[in-house]
Amino acid sequence: TMIRFLIKGILRDPNRSVLPVLVISIGVFLSVLFSAWFSGVFSDMIRLNANFSTGHLKVMTRAYAENAEQMPNDLALLETGSLVADLQRQFPQLDWTQRIRFGGLLDVADAEGNTRAQGMAAGYAVDLFSPGSREAERMNIMPAIVEGRLPAQPGEALISDDFARRFKVGLGDTVTLFGSTMDGGMSFANFAVAGTVRFGMPVLDRGAIIVDITDAQSALDMQDAAGEVLGFFKSDQYEEAAALEVKTAFNARFQNDDDEFAPLMQRLNDQNGLEEYLVLSKSMSGIMIFVFIFAMSIVLWNTGLLGGLRRYNEFGIRLAMGEEKKRLFRSLIIESVVIGLAGSVLGTALGLSAAYYLQETGLDFGSAVQGGSMMMPTVFRAHIGAQTFYIGFIPGLFSMVLGNALSGLGIYRRKTAELFKELSV
């Protein structure tokens, strides 16, 4: 009955609710939007680095790990077939796959076989041919194909679309990869262009070449060898605690081995400076909620004080008629909850609408975000998750209740002896 009475009072007196609802709606709108935005940015960044570079877990030799940015295939893992089989047997919750990253020079010949153009290439050798391999899916290759198709047989490759356009390379043309073998010798390998790709990342789009790992092993004299063995949780989600358990169990087997070529496992956290970003992604929502609660509480405190001054006589009459102070204070808090809910619902609806737009379209930051060892997308998108639907209610309700509670403390300072004097004026 009291709640129904208070709701009627709020609806019949818009001056008591319009400003607080607007303030709460704006705060909740910003809370929801930025929560979805930061969640999307950090999730995309972590997923991109995991799929293209770090995996959820990665096995390398100790020497390779110390110089990983240089892609030192002369320090690569040997007998990787048995290593992968052992990893799959010991840690079946992960999908293990071999990769080779390499650099080189792509040579484009003219009709007479002479060099027509050359460009630097960043090479990725992944498992494209094995039945059940998810490498093409992880690296988002199919949606990235501009022309052509995935390599279907040995000797075929994908090259970046920018490279193909710059040097007028067509589908079916042959490009020659100049590189170095695992033993330091010169390597020459011809590949037919099966398709061109654009990932939206300048570091790849300038001159990437993607081949099946068996072709790279043959070209680089790396039979049964790979620079890296990556592990991905079958849930496709990075599970930090589980990854730590796997890493600890694996590395314990080799802790007494002093060989620099002994295998070493690292988590996603341990690579490319991602630890700081994972910590930041976890704390960002809490920081943001605290900031908005603090800011809105101050605003709503002042709003409550102004409303309290306007309702000074109302409170006085209610107290003079015998209403208990705690009952009056409780009704003020219930009223703030009703207003807080209304503002939170409105702000959440607006925030979800804006977040959905950014989730679908994103914001293109171009090459401004590129640099360093960490991969970042050029288009940042929001991500609407479960917490997006309720996170705005935390600052929306708490700040309104806190603001009204602070401003309503004046009720307890009112002296009944002065009420009749005030009302008689």
Side-chain angles (χ1 to χ4, degrees), residues 73-84 98-100 125 180-184 186-189 191 212-229:
N73 287 320
D74 56 319
L75 306 175
L77 292 162
L78 301 177
E79 299 179 357
T80 51
S82 60
L83 174 62
V84 170
Q98 303 178 52
R99 285 190 188 174
I100 299 174
S180 60
T181 67
M182 183 177 179
D183 299 320
M186 291 293 294
S187 170
F188 308 91
F191 293 97
D212 183 73
I213 192 165
T214 55
D215 283 333
Q217 288 173 328
S218 176
L220 304 177
D221 290 340
M222 295 180 65
Q223 283 76 16
D224 200 22
E228 306 162 349
V229 173

Side-chain angles (χ1 to χ4, degrees), residues 69-325:
E69 293 182 6
Q70 303 173 23
M71 298 175 290
N73 287 320
D74 56 319
L75 306 175
L77 292 162
L78 301 177
E79 299 179 357
T80 51
S82 60
L83 174 62
V84 170
D86 183 56
L87 287 168
Q88 289 174 338
R89 182 171 55 255
Q90 188 176 4
F91 309 110
Q93 70 272 36
L94 289 110
D95 184 15
W96 299 95
T97 184
Q98 303 178 52
R99 285 190 188 174
I100 299 174
R101 291 189 296 155
F102 56 92
L105 192 68
L106 275 186
D107 181 273
V108 183
D110 58 19
E112 299 178 357
N114 298 316
T115 297
R116 174 168 61 84
Q118 287 183 336
M120 297 300 297
Y124 283 82
V126 299
D127 186 358
L128 297 176
F129 297 156
S130 295
S133 173
R134 297 184 57 197
E135 288 288 78
E137 177 187 345
R138 287 193 191 100
M139 296 183 69
N140 205 35
I141 293 177
M142 288 301 296
I145 292 178
V146 179
E147 293 182 330
R149 54 172 174 79
L150 274 175
Q153 58 187 8
E156 294 184 335
L158 294 170
I159 64 173
S160 71
D161 190 67
D162 291 354
F163 183 93
R165 292 180 184 276
R166 186 164 68 249
F167 297 120
K168 297 180 174 58
V169 180
L171 299 180
D173 290 352
T174 298
V175 295
T176 302
L177 174 67
F178 291 77
S180 60
T181 67
M182 183 177 179
D183 299 320
M186 291 293 294
S187 170
F188 308 91
N190 292 327
F191 293 97
V193 177
T196 64
V197 290
R198 182 182 295 118
F199 291 101
M201 293 177 287
V203 67
L204 292 177
D205 291 341
R206 281 193 295 267
I209 178 171
I210 300 174
V211 300
D212 183 73
I213 192 165
T214 55
D215 283 333
Q217 288 173 328
S218 176
L220 304 177
D221 290 340
M222 295 180 65
Q223 283 76 16
D224 200 22
E228 306 162 349
V229 173
L230 274 59
F232 297 89
F233 285 102
K234 293 182 178 179
S235 64
D236 289 332
Q237 299 297 318
Y238 179 53
E239 302 170 23
E240 189 172 345
L244 180 59
E245 292 180 4
V246 172
K247 169 191 167 182
T248 303
F250 180 85
N251 288 337
R253 296 167 52 190
F254 303 95
Q255 62 181 356
N256 296 322
D257 191 339
D258 297 329
D259 187 357
E260 65 174 348
F261 291 99
L264 172 72
M265 183 179 289
Q266 292 184 344
R267 296 181 299 163
L268 180 149
N269 310 50
D270 306 322
Q271 306 171 60
N272 294 2
L274 289 172
E275 173 69 24
E276 293 81 2
Y277 286 89
L278 284 167
V279 172
L280 186 60
S281 68
K282 293 176 182 177
S283 60
M284 185 57 67
S285 294
I287 293 172
M288 193 165 50
I289 289 172
F290 173 79
V291 169
F292 282 117
I293 286 177
F294 182 75
M296 287 196 296
S297 295
I298 293 176
V299 173
L300 292 169
W301 180 14
N302 285 280
T303 303
L305 287 175
L306 292 174
L309 290 175
R310 189 179 60 80
R311 300 172 66 185
Y312 196 73
N313 283 342
E314 175 196 334
F315 293 154
I317 292 172
R318 291 170 67 177
L319 289 171
M321 292 176 64
E323 186 171 357
E324 294 181 349
K325 290 181 178 180

Side-chain angles (χ1 to χ4, degrees), residues 9 34 60 73 105 135-136 155 172 177-178 211 307 332 336 343 348 370 381 398:
F34 282 116
M60 305 164 282
N73 287 320
L105 192 68
E135 288 288 78
L177 174 67
F178 291 77
V211 300
L332 190 65
S336 69
T348 298
Q370 299 300 320
R381 302 177 187 274
F398 189 80

Side-chain angles (χ1 to χ4, degrees), residues 17-74:
S17 57
V18 172
L19 181 58
V21 166
L22 287 177
V23 172
I24 292 171
S25 297
I26 293 172
V28 170
F29 166 77
L30 294 174
S31 298
V32 171
L33 178 59
F34 282 116
S35 173
W37 172 254
F38 285 121
S39 175
V41 169
F42 285 121
S43 296
D44 286 348
M45 184 178 63
I46 292 168
R47 183 171 59 254
L48 190 68
N49 277 271
N51 290 343
F52 277 87
S53 179
T54 67
H56 295 153
L57 290 153
K58 181 192 288 187
V59 180
M60 305 164 282
T61 65
R62 293 171 180 169
Y64 187 104
E66 293 178 0
N67 304 277
E69 293 182 6
Q70 303 173 23
M71 298 175 290
N73 287 320
D74 56 319

Side-chain angles (χ1 to χ4, degrees), residues 2 318-319 322-334 408-414:
M2 177 186 289
R318 291 170 67 177
L319 289 171
E323 186 171 357
E324 294 181 349
K325 290 181 178 180
K326 64 179 181 181
R327 180 181 173 82
L328 180 56
F329 185 79
R330 186 167 62 247
S331 68
L332 190 65
I333 296 301
I334 295 174
L409 290 177
I411 292 173
Y412 286 97
R413 290 196 289 267
R414 301 291 298 277

